[in-house]
């Protein structure tokens, strides 16, 4: 799926959970399958099947919106990519928005942007905040994961919220990226806040252009592996995550379907990737980020679920490398490992139960890019109600 679906889903939940009324006046995308899904779920919303840069200033003005929710293409900023930044053609749509924003007849009151970690040290980000400052916005940046809201999935993302006003936001710390979810209580207190220095991170990135990913710790070569390709430090980190009672257990997001045979890992995948799998149980309070290749590829695309909870994973993996392929497969099969279903991933991403996925591949929708519905709802609702109400959305 694509950007606007998660934002629109969040506005639905926001309407239900608060006294603030939200209306999406326009949604924009060129992906035909995504637009088919969007029309099915939001038939009364104006949907433009065109590029952002194809929208004129006049068309923007006619929408008369007072909020922009946007998730520009993330490929130019991903830490494992080429990091083309402003020179990447996929940044053109966002640069067009920055060009149009100061020229609008009426500036929106709020702007909320989501992107990948890495955007915060990009030249595009610098252009964005400079445009915001020139237009009179006050803003705050964040690096947050759904675990901040009790959702057992690691999905670190960059957020920026901006408000058109002269006074600073109540939770604003200039030049810093907040890495904790702000609350009304925290905004009113004088206690310490966990932050990241944007300028320092930018300098560090020049030295190390491709830092390690959020969920996988790279081994220095001097650490001792336990069972699987996992160090004692990594094992300790996972145990700490599972002991965090502020995060829900995975079992609350799973389907109650007795027949999950189509989702079990095939023997070939078990044998080839056994030592690389991130294995979780229903009682775990963590899972790694699900990527576009989940279900088609195994390594680094997301966690797999151990459904045989009575089996100790250490016992299965002990001396596994000394066994024959047949013996390995027999031991690994005891764990009954399966992929998370599309609905379960949608649950972790906060899509409401009534949301329907359509298109050419209904059994394997792409969850790699949407803003999680419940995550964005809580983010928007909590932060905006720290200031005041907002009533109209422009949805990208």
């Amino acid at each position: 799926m694509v950007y606007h679906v998660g934002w629109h889903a969040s506005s639905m939940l926001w309407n239900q959970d608060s006294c603030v009324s939200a209306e999406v006046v326009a949604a924009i995308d060129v992906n035909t399958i995504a637009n088919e899904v969007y029309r099915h779920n939001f038939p009364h919303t104006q949907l433009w099947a065109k590029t952002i840069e194809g929208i004129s200033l006049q068309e923007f003005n006619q929408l008369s919106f007072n909020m922009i929710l946007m998730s520009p293409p993330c490929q130019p900023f991903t830490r494992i990519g080429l990091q083309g930044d402003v020179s990447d053609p996929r940044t053109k749509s966002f640069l067009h928005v920055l060009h149009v924003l100061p020229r609008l007849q009426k500036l929106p009151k709020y702007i909320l942007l989501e992107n990948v970690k890495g955007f915060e040290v990009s030249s595009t980000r610098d252009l964005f905040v400079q445009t915001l400052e020139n237009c009179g916005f006050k803003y705050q940046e964040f690096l947050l994961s759904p675990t901040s809201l009790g959702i057992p999935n690691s999905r670190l993302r960059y957020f920026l919220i901006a408000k058109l006003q002269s006074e600073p936001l109540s939770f604003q710390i200039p030049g810093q990226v907040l890495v904790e979810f702000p609350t009304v209580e925290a905004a009113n207190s004088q206690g310490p806040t966990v932050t990241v220095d944007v300028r320092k991170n930018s300098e560090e990135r020049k030295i190390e252009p491709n830092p390690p990913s959020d969920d996988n710790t790279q081994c220095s070569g001097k650490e001792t592996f336990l069972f699987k390709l996992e160090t004692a430090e990594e094992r300790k980190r996972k145990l700490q995550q599972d002991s965090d009672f502020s995060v829900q257990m995975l079992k609350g997001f799973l389907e109650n379907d007795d027949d999950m045979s189509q989702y079990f890992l095939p023997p070939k995948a078990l044998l080839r990737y056994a030592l690389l799998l991130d294995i979780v149980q229903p009682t775990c309070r963590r899972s790694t980020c699900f990527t576009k290749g989940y279900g088609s590829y195994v390594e680094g695309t997301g966690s797999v679920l151990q459904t045989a909870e009575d089996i100790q994973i250490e016992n299965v993996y002990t001396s596994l490398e000394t066994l024959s392929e047949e013996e390995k497969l027999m031991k690994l099969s005891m764990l009954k490992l399966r992929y998370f279903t599309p609905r379960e991933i949608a649950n972790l991403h906060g899509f409401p139960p009534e949301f329907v996925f359509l298109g050419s591949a209904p059994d394997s929708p792409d969850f790699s890019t949407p803003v999680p519905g419940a995550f964005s709802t809580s983010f928007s609702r909590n932060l905006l109600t720290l200031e005041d109400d907002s009533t109209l959305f422009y949805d990208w």
Side-chain angles (χ1 to χ4, degrees):
M1 293 310 302
V2 292
Y3 326 120
H4 50 57
V5 171
W7 285 128
H8 199 146
S10 72
S11 72
M12 293 168 57
L13 297 172
W14 191 3
N15 284 341
Q16 296 171 7
D17 297 344
S18 72
C19 59
V20 180
S21 176
E23 176 192 1
V24 180
V25 298
I28 305 160
D29 207 284
V30 295
N31 186 296
T32 54
I33 295 176
N35 286 341
E36 181 184 352
V37 174
Y38 195 90
R39 285 194 186 93
H40 181 87
N41 287 278
F42 312 115
H44 304 299
T45 300
Q46 181 177 203
L47 176 60
W48 291 354
K50 60 193 302 183
T51 62
I52 296 289
E53 56 268 37
I55 303 174
S56 66
L57 176 60
Q58 181 180 0
E59 288 175 309
F60 273 113
N61 283 326
Q62 288 174 346
L63 290 172
S64 188
F65 51 87
N66 69 355
M67 178 179 286
I68 302 177
L69 307 179
M70 54 183 169
S71 299
C74 64
Q75 295 91 338
F77 316 108
T78 55
R79 293 168 293 159
I80 59 173
L82 298 177
Q83 299 170 358
D85 206 339
V86 291
S87 62
D88 192 306
R90 289 167 291 195
T91 310
K92 287 175 60 179
S93 57
F94 184 57
L95 296 179
H96 180 65
V97 172
L98 299 188
H99 174 75
V100 167
L101 184 63
R103 296 167 174 78
L104 292 173
Q105 290 179 353
K106 176 187 174 184
L107 287 170
K109 189 173 185 179
Y110 288 106
I111 295 176
L112 181 54
L113 176 139
E114 178 269 352
N115 214 282
V116 294
K117 176 174 170 56
F119 184 88
E120 77 278 7
V121 292
S122 67
S123 298
T124 304
R125 173 262 176 198
D126 295 340
L127 289 173
F128 181 36
V129 299
Q130 185 62 58
T131 302
L132 292 176
E133 291 171 359
N134 292 343
C135 290
F137 285 91
K138 300 299 180 181
Y139 64 90
Q140 180 60 55
E141 299 170 278
F142 302 84
L143 282 172
L144 298 170
S145 182
T147 52
S148 304
L149 296 171
I151 301 172
N153 182 245
S154 295
R155 188 181 177 83
L156 190 63
R157 289 296 183 268
Y158 169 88
F159 287 87
L160 182 146
I161 186 170
K163 185 180 181 184
L164 188 64
Q165 62 180 32
S166 57
E167 296 299 318
L169 301 170
S170 60
F171 46 84
Q172 184 174 341
I173 304 180
Q176 300 290 311
V177 178
L178 299 186
V179 295
E180 289 183 344
F181 201 91
T183 62
V184 174
E185 293 76 14
N188 294 331
S189 72
Q190 301 299 318
T193 303
V194 182
T195 64
V196 173
D197 192 304
V198 177
R199 289 157 295 191
K200 180 180 178 182
N201 268 20
S202 181
E203 290 302 314
E204 289 177 349
R205 179 168 176 169
K206 294 176 183 178
I207 300 172
E208 183 189 13
N210 289 310
S213 61
D214 308 328
D215 299 298
N216 300 314
T217 304
Q218 291 184 341
C219 182
S220 65
K222 299 179 181 180
E223 298 169 285
T224 302
F225 288 122
L226 304 179
F227 64 92
K228 300 175 63 207
L229 295 184
E230 193 172 73
T231 64
E233 183 180 350
E234 290 172 316
R235 184 64 177 163
K236 180 181 178 182
R237 173 177 56 83
K238 291 180 179 181
L239 290 173
Q240 288 175 338
Q241 289 176 309
D242 288 333
S243 301
D244 185 355
F245 295 108
S246 68
V247 179
Q248 302 173 65
M249 290 184 181
L250 284 167
K251 64 182 180 181
F253 298 82
L254 303 179
E255 291 189 272
N256 297 316
D257 192 337
D258 294 332
D259 184 15
M260 289 288 181
S261 57
Q262 63 176 313
Y263 298 107
F264 281 97
L265 271 68
K268 185 177 180 180
L270 282 176
L271 290 172
R272 183 173 181 179
Y273 299 104
L275 300 181
L276 302 174
L277 295 171
D278 181 73
I279 301 172
V280 294
Q281 296 181 354
T283 54
C284 286
R285 302 175 188 273
R286 62 176 182 85
S287 61
T288 58
C289 182
F290 296 101
T291 71
K292 184 176 182 178
Y294 189 72
S296 299
Y297 302 96
V298 178
E299 184 178 356
T301 60
S303 301
V304 296
L305 186 68
Q306 176 188 337
T307 57
E309 297 181 69
D310 57 328
I311 303 297
Q312 293 295 318
I313 188 172
E314 293 91 340
N315 296 338
V316 171
Y317 275 87
T318 300
S319 304
L320 189 67
E321 288 300 283
T322 65
L323 304 178
S324 67
E325 284 199 356
E326 185 178 350
E327 291 171 323
K328 283 182 186 179
L329 187 57
M330 186 178 299
K331 291 200 73 173
L332 291 169
S333 298
M334 293 169 58
L335 295 172
K336 296 184 179 179
L337 300 177
R338 71 165 176 86
Y339 293 109
F340 283 79
T341 70
R343 182 65 255 175
E344 291 167 345
I345 299 174
N347 292 342
L348 285 168
H349 285 184
F351 283 92
E354 64 272 16
F355 193 92
V356 177
F357 292 95
L358 304 171
S360 60
D363 293 329
S364 56
D366 174 11
F367 291 106
S368 61
T369 54
V371 181
F375 188 27
S376 54
T377 300
S378 298
F379 187 89
S380 306
R381 183 174 61 241
N382 280 283
L383 295 189
L384 297 183
T385 52
L386 292 179
E387 302 297 325
D388 58 20
D389 296 338
S390 185
T391 56
L392 191 64
F393 288 71
Y394 168 69
D395 194 24
W396 180 358

